[in-house]
Amino acid sequence: MTTATQQRSTLDVEVCRRDFPILATEVRGRPLVYLDNAASSQKPRQVIAAIETYYREKHANVHRGVHHLAQLATDAYEGARDTVARHLGARDRREVVFVRGTTEAINLVAQSFARPRLGAGDEILLTQLEHHSNIVPWQLVAQQTGARIVVAPLDATGQLDLEQFEARLSPQTRIVGLAHVSNALGTVLPVAEVCELARQRGAVTVVDGAQAAPHLQLDVAGLGCDFYAVSAHKAYGPTGIGALWGRGELLAAMPPYQGGGEMIRTVSFEGTDFAEAPARFEAGTPNIAGAVGMAAAFDYLDALGLEAIANHEHDLLEYATRQVAAIEGVQLVGTAANKASVLSFLLDGVHAHDVGTILDTEGVAVRVGHHCAQPLMDSLGIAATARASFALYNTRQEIDALVAGLERVRELFA
Ligand code: PMP
Protein backbone atom coordinates (compact mmCIF):
# COMPACT_ATOMS: atom_id res chain seq x y z
CA MET A 1 0.00 0.00 0.00
CA THR A 2 2.88 2.40 0.49
CA THR A 3 5.55 3.40 -1.97
CA ALA A 4 8.09 2.24 0.56
CA THR A 5 6.67 -1.17 1.40
CA GLN A 6 9.61 -3.01 -0.11
CA GLN A 7 12.05 -1.66 2.50
CA ARG A 8 11.78 -3.69 5.68
CA SER A 9 15.19 -3.85 7.36
CA THR A 10 16.35 -0.48 6.06
CA LEU A 11 14.35 2.60 5.32
CA ASP A 12 14.49 4.50 2.05
CA VAL A 13 14.04 7.87 3.69
CA GLU A 14 13.81 9.84 0.46
CA VAL A 15 10.95 7.60 -0.69
CA CYS A 16 9.24 7.97 2.69
CA ARG A 17 9.61 11.76 2.61
CA ARG A 18 7.54 11.90 -0.55
CA ASP A 19 4.69 10.36 1.42
CA PHE A 20 4.54 13.49 3.64
CA PRO A 21 3.28 16.47 1.61
CA ILE A 22 4.02 19.02 4.33
CA LEU A 23 7.74 18.24 4.23
CA ALA A 24 7.95 19.93 0.82
CA THR A 25 6.80 23.28 2.24
CA GLU A 26 9.03 26.21 3.08
CA VAL A 27 9.13 28.21 6.29
CA ARG A 28 10.39 31.79 6.04
CA GLY A 29 11.87 31.04 2.66
CA ARG A 30 13.77 27.98 3.92
CA PRO A 31 12.97 24.30 3.54
CA LEU A 32 11.01 23.13 6.57
CA VAL A 33 13.13 21.15 9.03
CA TYR A 34 10.55 19.60 11.32
CA LEU A 35 12.14 18.38 14.54
CA ASP A 36 9.11 18.65 16.82
CA ASN A 37 7.87 15.12 16.30
CA ALA A 38 7.54 14.26 19.98
CA ALA A 39 4.82 16.92 20.22
CA SER A 40 3.08 15.67 17.08
CA SER A 41 4.30 14.01 13.92
CA GLN A 42 3.36 14.93 10.34
CA LYS A 43 0.93 12.81 8.33
CA PRO A 44 1.60 10.65 5.27
CA ARG A 45 -0.69 10.83 2.26
CA GLN A 46 -1.85 7.26 3.04
CA VAL A 47 -3.41 8.52 6.29
CA ILE A 48 -4.83 11.66 4.68
CA ALA A 49 -6.27 9.54 1.85
CA ALA A 50 -7.84 7.01 4.23
CA ILE A 51 -9.68 9.80 6.05
CA GLU A 52 -10.74 11.43 2.79
CA THR A 53 -11.98 8.13 1.32
CA TYR A 54 -13.91 7.44 4.47
CA TYR A 55 -15.72 10.78 4.28
CA ARG A 56 -16.20 10.65 0.51
CA GLU A 57 -17.50 7.09 0.32
CA LYS A 58 -18.45 5.56 3.64
CA HIS A 59 -19.67 8.03 6.21
CA ALA A 60 -22.76 7.48 8.34
CA ASN A 61 -23.19 6.93 12.06
CA VAL A 62 -21.93 3.56 13.30
CA HIS A 63 -23.67 0.57 14.93
CA ARG A 64 -27.37 -0.22 14.86
CA GLY A 65 -27.80 1.12 11.31
CA VAL A 66 -29.60 -1.09 8.82
CA HIS A 67 -28.73 0.93 5.73
CA HIS A 68 -25.76 0.42 3.45
CA LEU A 69 -23.61 3.37 4.52
CA ALA A 70 -24.17 2.67 8.21
CA GLN A 71 -22.80 -0.79 7.56
CA LEU A 72 -19.78 0.56 5.67
CA ALA A 73 -19.02 3.04 8.44
CA THR A 74 -19.38 0.36 11.12
CA ASP A 75 -17.08 -1.96 9.17
CA ALA A 76 -14.53 0.85 8.80
CA TYR A 77 -14.65 1.68 12.53
CA GLU A 78 -14.59 -1.89 13.80
CA GLY A 79 -12.01 -2.83 11.16
CA ALA A 80 -9.83 -0.04 12.54
CA ARG A 81 -10.17 -1.63 15.98
CA ASP A 82 -8.88 -4.92 14.54
CA THR A 83 -5.86 -3.16 13.04
CA VAL A 84 -5.08 -1.25 16.24
CA ALA A 85 -5.47 -4.43 18.34
CA ARG A 86 -3.08 -6.31 16.05
CA HIS A 87 -0.56 -3.48 16.04
CA LEU A 88 -0.60 -3.20 19.85
CA GLY A 89 -0.16 -6.95 20.26
CA ALA A 90 -3.54 -7.36 21.99
CA ARG A 91 -4.86 -10.91 22.22
CA ASP A 92 -8.45 -9.78 21.87
CA ARG A 93 -9.90 -6.87 19.86
CA ARG A 94 -12.40 -6.22 22.67
CA GLU A 95 -9.47 -5.09 24.83
CA VAL A 96 -9.05 -1.95 22.68
CA VAL A 97 -11.08 1.12 23.64
CA PHE A 98 -11.00 4.11 21.31
CA VAL A 99 -10.42 7.34 23.23
CA ARG A 100 -9.30 10.89 22.39
CA GLY A 101 -5.69 10.09 23.16
CA THR A 102 -3.27 9.11 25.89
CA THR A 103 -4.61 11.75 28.25
CA GLU A 104 -8.16 10.45 28.07
CA ALA A 105 -6.98 6.84 28.33
CA ILE A 106 -5.19 7.54 31.61
CA ASN A 107 -8.13 9.53 32.98
CA LEU A 108 -10.40 6.62 32.10
CA VAL A 109 -8.24 4.17 34.05
CA ALA A 110 -7.89 6.59 36.97
CA GLN A 111 -11.63 7.22 37.27
CA SER A 112 -13.10 3.88 36.24
CA PHE A 113 -10.52 1.39 37.48
CA ALA A 114 -8.68 3.15 40.31
CA ARG A 115 -11.27 5.39 41.93
CA PRO A 116 -13.63 2.64 43.10
CA ARG A 117 -10.73 0.53 44.36
CA LEU A 118 -8.48 3.01 46.18
CA GLY A 119 -8.80 4.22 49.74
CA ALA A 120 -6.85 6.09 52.41
CA GLY A 121 -3.36 4.66 52.80
CA ASP A 122 -3.18 3.20 49.30
CA GLU A 123 -0.28 4.28 47.12
CA ILE A 124 0.09 5.20 43.46
CA LEU A 125 3.72 4.83 42.41
CA LEU A 126 4.88 7.07 39.52
CA THR A 127 8.31 7.91 38.15
CA GLN A 128 9.98 11.31 38.32
CA LEU A 129 9.89 11.77 34.55
CA GLU A 130 6.15 11.46 33.92
CA HIS A 131 4.25 13.77 31.59
CA HIS A 132 1.57 15.84 33.34
CA SER A 133 -1.04 13.57 31.78
CA ASN A 134 0.34 10.67 33.82
CA ILE A 135 0.46 12.75 37.01
CA VAL A 136 -2.60 14.97 37.21
CA PRO A 137 -5.24 12.23 36.69
CA TRP A 138 -3.63 10.36 39.60
CA GLN A 139 -3.58 13.48 41.76
CA LEU A 140 -7.30 13.88 41.11
CA VAL A 141 -8.02 10.30 42.07
CA ALA A 142 -5.75 10.61 45.12
CA GLN A 143 -7.76 13.61 46.29
CA GLN A 144 -11.00 11.72 45.70
CA THR A 145 -9.95 8.59 47.57
CA GLY A 146 -7.32 9.56 50.15
CA ALA A 147 -4.63 7.59 48.31
CA ARG A 148 -1.07 8.93 48.19
CA ILE A 149 1.32 9.49 45.30
CA VAL A 150 4.83 8.10 45.68
CA VAL A 151 7.61 9.02 43.25
CA ALA A 152 10.45 6.79 42.05
CA PRO A 153 13.62 8.78 41.24
CA LEU A 154 15.95 8.66 38.23
CA ASP A 155 19.68 8.08 38.07
CA ALA A 156 22.08 10.76 36.82
CA THR A 157 21.49 9.81 33.17
CA GLY A 158 17.73 10.16 33.35
CA GLN A 159 17.00 6.45 33.57
CA LEU A 160 14.64 5.03 36.18
CA ASP A 161 16.64 3.74 39.14
CA LEU A 162 15.18 0.22 39.40
CA GLU A 163 16.53 -0.40 42.91
CA GLN A 164 14.96 2.78 44.18
CA PHE A 165 11.78 1.90 42.35
CA GLU A 166 11.66 -1.50 43.98
CA ALA A 167 12.34 0.05 47.37
CA ARG A 168 9.24 2.21 46.93
CA LEU A 169 6.98 -0.68 45.98
CA SER A 170 5.13 -1.39 49.19
CA PRO A 171 2.20 -3.57 50.24
CA GLN A 172 0.15 -0.36 49.87
CA THR A 173 1.14 0.15 46.22
CA ARG A 174 -2.02 -0.43 44.21
CA ILE A 175 -1.14 1.31 40.94
CA VAL A 176 2.18 1.77 39.14
CA GLY A 177 2.15 4.37 36.38
CA LEU A 178 5.08 4.97 34.05
CA ALA A 179 5.97 6.20 30.60
CA HIS A 180 7.39 3.70 28.12
CA VAL A 181 9.48 6.49 26.56
CA SER A 182 10.06 9.92 28.13
CA ASN A 183 9.00 12.84 25.96
CA ALA A 184 11.38 15.22 27.74
CA LEU A 185 14.54 13.08 27.92
CA GLY A 186 14.02 10.28 25.40
CA THR A 187 14.72 7.60 28.02
CA VAL A 188 13.26 4.18 27.19
CA LEU A 189 12.14 2.79 30.54
CA PRO A 190 12.53 -0.88 31.55
CA VAL A 191 8.79 -1.42 31.38
CA ALA A 192 8.79 -5.22 31.31
CA GLU A 193 10.95 -5.37 34.47
CA VAL A 194 8.80 -2.78 36.22
CA CYS A 195 5.62 -4.65 35.31
CA GLU A 196 7.04 -7.91 36.61
CA LEU A 197 8.06 -6.31 39.93
CA ALA A 198 4.65 -4.68 40.23
CA ARG A 199 2.85 -7.91 39.37
CA GLN A 200 4.74 -9.80 42.10
CA ARG A 201 3.43 -7.25 44.62
CA GLY A 202 -0.10 -7.30 43.28
CA ALA A 203 -0.01 -3.75 41.86
CA VAL A 204 -1.69 -2.88 38.57
CA THR A 205 0.47 -1.24 35.88
CA VAL A 206 -0.56 1.64 33.63
CA VAL A 207 1.89 2.38 30.82
CA ASP A 208 1.90 5.70 28.99
CA GLY A 209 2.90 4.65 25.48
CA ALA A 210 2.45 8.07 23.83
CA GLN A 211 6.13 8.34 22.87
CA ALA A 212 6.71 4.65 22.29
CA ALA A 213 4.12 4.17 19.54
CA PRO A 214 6.06 5.97 16.78
CA HIS A 215 9.37 4.26 17.56
CA LEU A 216 8.94 0.80 19.05
CA GLN A 217 7.24 -2.42 18.08
CA LEU A 218 4.44 -2.55 20.60
CA ASP A 219 3.53 -5.79 22.36
CA VAL A 220 1.18 -5.15 25.25
CA ALA A 221 0.74 -8.83 26.02
CA GLY A 222 4.50 -9.46 26.03
CA LEU A 223 5.23 -6.42 28.22
CA GLY A 224 3.12 -7.83 31.02
CA CYS A 225 1.34 -4.55 31.73
CA ASP A 226 -2.33 -4.17 32.68
CA PHE A 227 -3.18 -0.98 30.78
CA TYR A 228 -1.40 0.71 27.86
CA ALA A 229 -2.28 4.14 26.43
CA VAL A 230 -1.42 5.60 23.01
CA SER A 231 -2.24 8.68 20.92
CA ALA A 232 -2.47 8.38 17.14
CA HIS A 233 -1.13 11.86 16.38
CA LYS A 234 2.38 11.12 17.63
CA ALA A 235 2.55 8.07 15.37
CA TYR A 236 1.60 9.62 11.99
CA GLY A 237 -2.15 9.40 12.63
CA PRO A 238 -4.75 12.12 13.19
CA THR A 239 -5.33 14.19 16.33
CA GLY A 240 -8.27 13.52 18.64
CA ILE A 241 -7.99 9.73 18.59
CA GLY A 242 -6.03 7.16 20.55
CA ALA A 243 -6.49 3.85 22.22
CA LEU A 244 -6.56 2.38 25.67
CA TRP A 245 -5.61 -1.27 25.82
CA GLY A 246 -6.68 -3.01 29.01
CA ARG A 247 -6.63 -6.60 30.19
CA GLY A 248 -10.00 -8.11 29.37
CA GLU A 249 -10.79 -9.20 32.90
CA LEU A 250 -10.00 -5.74 34.28
CA LEU A 251 -12.09 -3.91 31.66
CA ALA A 252 -14.95 -6.34 32.31
CA ALA A 253 -14.98 -5.37 35.99
CA MET A 254 -14.88 -1.60 35.42
CA PRO A 255 -17.92 0.69 35.56
CA PRO A 256 -18.64 3.13 32.73
CA TYR A 257 -16.53 6.27 32.55
CA GLN A 258 -19.13 8.41 30.79
CA GLY A 259 -22.80 7.74 30.07
CA GLY A 260 -24.71 8.21 26.85
CA GLY A 261 -25.62 6.45 23.65
CA GLU A 262 -23.55 3.58 22.25
CA MET A 263 -22.50 2.31 25.69
CA ILE A 264 -25.79 0.72 26.75
CA ARG A 265 -27.77 -2.46 26.16
CA THR A 266 -31.13 -1.21 27.43
CA VAL A 267 -32.19 2.06 29.05
CA SER A 268 -35.29 2.88 31.09
CA PHE A 269 -35.88 5.67 33.60
CA GLU A 270 -35.54 3.04 36.31
CA GLY A 271 -32.07 2.06 35.25
CA THR A 272 -29.63 1.15 32.51
CA ASP A 273 -27.99 -2.06 31.51
CA PHE A 274 -24.52 -1.29 30.15
CA ALA A 275 -22.86 -2.79 27.10
CA GLU A 276 -19.77 -4.95 27.43
CA ALA A 277 -16.28 -3.48 26.90
CA PRO A 278 -15.17 -1.78 24.73
CA ALA A 279 -18.55 -0.21 23.86
CA ARG A 280 -19.19 0.44 27.57
CA PHE A 281 -16.36 3.01 27.49
CA GLU A 282 -17.26 4.63 24.16
CA ALA A 283 -20.27 6.80 24.97
CA GLY A 284 -21.61 8.90 22.10
CA THR A 285 -20.83 8.95 18.39
CA PRO A 286 -17.17 8.01 18.14
CA ASN A 287 -14.39 9.63 16.11
CA ILE A 288 -14.93 7.24 13.20
CA ALA A 289 -12.69 9.01 10.70
CA GLY A 290 -10.04 9.33 13.40
CA ALA A 291 -10.09 5.59 14.04
CA VAL A 292 -9.79 4.96 10.30
CA GLY A 293 -6.83 7.36 10.14
CA MET A 294 -5.20 5.76 13.17
CA ALA A 295 -5.46 2.32 11.57
CA ALA A 296 -3.98 3.70 8.33
CA ALA A 297 -1.06 5.14 10.32
CA PHE A 298 -0.40 1.80 12.04
CA ASP A 299 -0.62 0.04 8.65
CA TYR A 300 1.92 2.53 7.34
CA LEU A 301 4.29 1.83 10.25
CA ASP A 302 3.87 -1.92 9.85
CA ALA A 303 4.52 -1.75 6.11
CA LEU A 304 7.81 0.09 6.69
CA GLY A 305 8.69 -2.09 9.66
CA LEU A 306 9.33 -0.75 13.16
CA GLU A 307 12.78 -2.29 13.16
CA ALA A 308 13.82 -0.35 10.05
CA ILE A 309 12.34 2.82 11.52
CA ALA A 310 14.09 2.30 14.86
CA ASN A 311 17.45 1.67 13.14
CA HIS A 312 17.17 4.86 11.13
CA GLU A 313 16.07 6.94 14.12
CA HIS A 314 18.84 5.46 16.25
CA ASP A 315 21.37 6.58 13.64
CA LEU A 316 19.84 10.07 13.63
CA LEU A 317 19.90 10.29 17.42
CA GLU A 318 23.55 9.20 17.63
CA TYR A 319 24.55 11.63 14.90
CA ALA A 320 22.60 14.50 16.46
CA THR A 321 23.93 13.72 19.93
CA ARG A 322 27.54 13.88 18.65
CA GLN A 323 27.01 17.03 16.59
CA VAL A 324 25.00 18.99 19.14
CA ALA A 325 27.19 17.97 22.10
CA ALA A 326 30.22 19.32 20.21
CA ILE A 327 28.76 22.84 20.11
CA GLU A 328 30.39 25.07 22.69
CA GLY A 329 28.15 25.75 25.67
CA VAL A 330 25.74 22.88 25.02
CA GLN A 331 24.66 20.67 27.88
CA LEU A 332 22.63 17.58 27.02
CA VAL A 333 19.72 16.79 29.33
CA GLY A 334 19.03 13.05 29.38
CA THR A 335 21.89 10.71 28.51
CA ALA A 336 20.44 7.29 29.32
CA ALA A 337 22.00 4.34 27.47
CA ASN A 338 18.61 3.38 26.07
CA LYS A 339 16.99 6.37 24.38
CA ALA A 340 14.58 6.98 21.52
CA SER A 341 14.52 9.96 19.18
CA VAL A 342 14.67 12.84 21.67
CA LEU A 343 17.57 15.26 22.18
CA SER A 344 16.98 17.77 24.98
CA PHE A 345 19.64 20.36 25.68
CA LEU A 346 20.58 23.68 27.24
CA LEU A 347 22.71 26.35 25.59
CA ASP A 348 24.81 28.25 28.08
CA GLY A 349 23.64 31.84 28.57
CA VAL A 350 20.68 31.58 26.18
CA HIS A 351 17.10 31.02 27.25
CA ALA A 352 15.52 27.97 25.58
CA HIS A 353 12.77 30.19 24.15
CA ASP A 354 15.35 32.34 22.37
CA VAL A 355 16.94 29.17 20.96
CA GLY A 356 13.56 28.06 19.59
CA THR A 357 12.67 31.48 18.16
CA ILE A 358 15.98 31.93 16.37
CA LEU A 359 15.92 28.38 15.01
CA ASP A 360 12.47 29.11 13.63
CA THR A 361 13.87 31.97 11.56
CA GLU A 362 16.06 29.30 9.92
CA GLY A 363 13.06 27.08 9.23
CA VAL A 364 13.99 24.65 12.01
CA ALA A 365 11.08 23.64 14.27
CA VAL A 366 12.00 22.46 17.77
CA ARG A 367 10.04 22.55 21.01
CA VAL A 368 11.18 24.61 23.99
CA GLY A 369 9.85 24.70 27.52
CA HIS A 370 9.09 22.26 30.30
CA HIS A 371 7.57 19.68 27.92
CA CYS A 372 4.65 19.08 30.30
CA ALA A 373 7.06 17.50 32.76
CA GLN A 374 7.48 20.21 35.38
CA PRO A 375 8.23 17.83 38.28
CA LEU A 376 11.08 16.41 36.19
CA MET A 377 12.40 19.87 35.34
CA ASP A 378 12.20 20.88 39.02
CA SER A 379 14.18 17.80 40.03
CA LEU A 380 16.86 18.76 37.48
CA GLY A 381 16.86 22.35 38.70
CA ILE A 382 15.99 23.78 35.28
CA ALA A 383 12.96 25.60 33.92
CA ALA A 384 13.13 24.63 30.28
CA THR A 385 15.13 22.83 27.60
CA ALA A 386 15.25 23.00 23.83
CA ARG A 387 14.19 19.66 22.39
CA ALA A 388 14.79 18.25 18.94
CA SER A 389 12.83 15.06 18.31
CA PHE A 390 13.17 12.83 15.29
CA ALA A 391 10.80 10.91 13.07
CA LEU A 392 11.25 8.32 10.35
CA TYR A 393 11.39 11.05 7.68
CA ASN A 394 14.21 13.11 9.22
CA THR A 395 17.70 13.13 7.72
CA ARG A 396 21.27 13.83 8.74
CA GLN A 397 21.15 16.96 6.55
CA GLU A 398 18.31 18.26 8.69
CA ILE A 399 20.43 17.71 11.78
CA ASP A 400 23.19 19.68 10.05
CA ALA A 401 20.63 22.49 9.61
CA LEU A 402 19.84 22.30 13.33
CA VAL A 403 23.54 22.50 14.18
CA ALA A 404 24.07 25.45 11.82
CA GLY A 405 21.09 27.17 13.43
CA LEU A 406 22.52 26.60 16.91
CA GLU A 407 25.86 28.04 15.80
CA ARG A 408 23.94 31.10 14.62
CA VAL A 409 22.25 31.37 18.03
CA ARG A 410 25.65 31.29 19.69
CA GLU A 411 26.98 34.05 17.39
CA LEU A 412 23.98 36.25 18.17
CA PHE A 413 24.46 35.80 21.92
CA ALA A 414 28.28 35.94 21.89
N1 PMP B 1 2.50 11.18 27.66
C1 PMP B 1 3.59 11.57 27.01
C2 PMP B 1 4.90 10.95 27.34
C3 PMP B 1 3.49 12.54 26.01
O1 PMP B 1 4.58 12.94 25.36
C4 PMP B 1 2.23 13.11 25.73
C5 PMP B 1 2.05 14.19 24.68
N2 PMP B 1 2.99 15.21 24.75
C6 PMP B 1 1.12 12.65 26.43
C7 PMP B 1 1.29 11.69 27.39
C8 PMP B 1 -0.26 13.18 26.19
O2 PMP B 1 -0.71 12.81 24.93
P1 PMP B 1 -2.03 13.46 24.32
O3 PMP B 1 -1.84 14.95 24.45
O4 PMP B 1 -2.02 13.02 22.90
O5 PMP B 1 -3.17 12.96 25.10
Side-chain angles (χ1 to χ4, degrees):
M1 61 154 271
T2 136
T3 48
T5 25
Q6 62 281 19
Q7 283 84 34
R8 290 209 125 256
S9 53
T10 58
L11 208 60
D12 187 333
V13 177
E14 287 311 318
V15 171
C16 292
R17 286 182 69 82
R18 280 187 244 135
D19 288 335
F20 292 81
I22 211 168
L23 297 181
T25 57
E26 292 196 339
V27 172
R28 305 180 204 293
R30 310 264 187 143
L32 166 67
V33 175
Y34 187 76
L35 302 178
D36 191 21
N37 296 286
S40 199
S41 64
Q42 299 301 342
K43 316 304 169 199
R45 60 188 170 76
Q46 290 84 348
V47 168
I48 299 167
I51 295 168
E52 187 182 347
T53 302
Y54 168 74
Y55 275 128
R56 289 172 78 101
E57 299 174 9
K58 301 183 182 172
H59 176 68
N61 211 330
V62 290
H63 305 139
R64 299 175 324 283
V66 293
H67 64 79
H68 179 67
L69 281 181
Q71 198 54 54
L72 288 188
T74 302
D75 289 350
Y77 183 64
E78 293 303 332
R81 195 188 311 276
D82 291 331
T83 303
V84 171
R86 220 173 22 248
H87 183 84
L88 295 179
R91 273 167 300 197
D92 189 329
R93 67 187 303 282
R94 292 171 299 183
E95 295 181 330
V96 173
V97 181
F98 281 121
V99 288
R100 277 194 296 125
T102 304
T103 301
E104 186 174 41
I106 296 170
N107 276 280
L108 197 168
V109 178
Q111 289 302 314
S112 175
F113 179 81
R115 189 175 178 180
R117 285 171 177 76
L118 296 184
D122 286 336
E123 292 175 358
I124 301 163
L125 179 54
L126 305 175
T127 86
Q128 185 73 52
L129 57 65
E130 297 310 311
H131 188 279
H132 296 163
S133 62
N134 203 21
I135 299 173
V136 184
W138 301 115
Q139 284 176 333
L140 293 174
V141 91
Q143 281 158 17
Q144 288 155 346
T145 62
R148 199 164 76 83
I149 289 178
V150 177
V151 181
L154 310 177
D155 67 17
T157 70
Q159 181 55 276
L160 176 65
D161 184 328
L162 260 185
E163 256 176 47
Q164 295 279 349
F165 170 83
E166 197 172 355
R168 281 163 178 74
L169 261 178
S170 81
Q172 284 73 46
T173 310
R174 305 290 304 279
I175 307 272
V176 171
L178 79 163
H180 197 164
V181 175
S182 158
N183 67 310
L185 304 178
T187 313
V188 180
L189 285 90
V191 173
E193 286 93 321
V194 165
C195 290
E196 178 54 23
L197 288 170
R199 200 189 54 76
Q200 287 166 6
R201 314 291 174 91
V204 161
T205 43
V206 185
V207 181
D208 167 356
Q211 295 293 338
H215 310 299
L216 306 179
Q217 181 76 57
L218 302 180
D219 177 15
V220 290
L223 268 184
C225 59
D226 295 301
F227 293 100
Y228 197 95
V230 290
S231 299
H233 72 97
K234 310 225 187 236
Y236 312 103
T239 54
I241 186 80
L244 170 68
W245 172 84
R247 257 180 217 293
E249 61 273 25
L250 300 183
L251 289 177
M254 285 159 57
Y257 167 57
Q258 294 178 332
E262 300 279 344
M263 48 76 75
I264 52 88
R265 248 195 307 252
T266 59
V267 180
S268 73
F269 279 112
E270 285 65 49
T272 292
D273 191 15
F274 302 118
E276 304 279 329
R280 187 188 309 160
F281 305 108
E282 295 182 0
T285 301
N287 183 353
I288 311 163
V292 167
M294 181 175 188
F298 282 178
D299 277 339
Y300 184 78
L301 284 174
D302 289 335
L304 295 177
L306 263 308
E307 197 187 324
I309 294 169
N311 287 342
H312 171 64
E313 291 176 345
H314 187 69
D315 174 71
L316 288 178
L317 182 62
E318 281 206 332
Y319 182 70
T321 302
R322 268 198 316 274
Q323 300 295 315
V324 173
I327 296 170
E328 207 187 314
V330 160
Q331 187 195 328
L332 301 182
V333 181
T335 53
N338 195 1
K339 282 185 62 175
S341 278
V342 168
L343 191 64
S344 255
F345 56 92
L346 307 171
L347 192 53
D348 199 21
V350 189
H351 194 283
H353 282 88
D354 292 326
V355 174
T357 307
I358 296 164
L359 286 177
D360 182 57
T361 63
E362 311 276 321
V364 179
V366 298
R367 182 120 325 219
V368 294
H370 54 59
H371 314 296
C372 295
Q374 280 183 339
L376 169 65
M377 295 288 147
D378 289 346
S379 76
L380 297 172
I382 53 181
T385 74
R387 178 190 74 185
S389 53
F390 312 113
L392 66 90
Y393 42 66
N394 288 126
T395 63
R396 282 186 172 214
Q397 291 90 310
E398 290 183 309
I399 290 162
D400 293 341
L402 166 70
V403 170
L406 289 172
E407 293 292 5
R408 171 118 187 84
V409 177
R410 270 191 7 92
E411 278 162 32
L412 287 170
F413 280 82

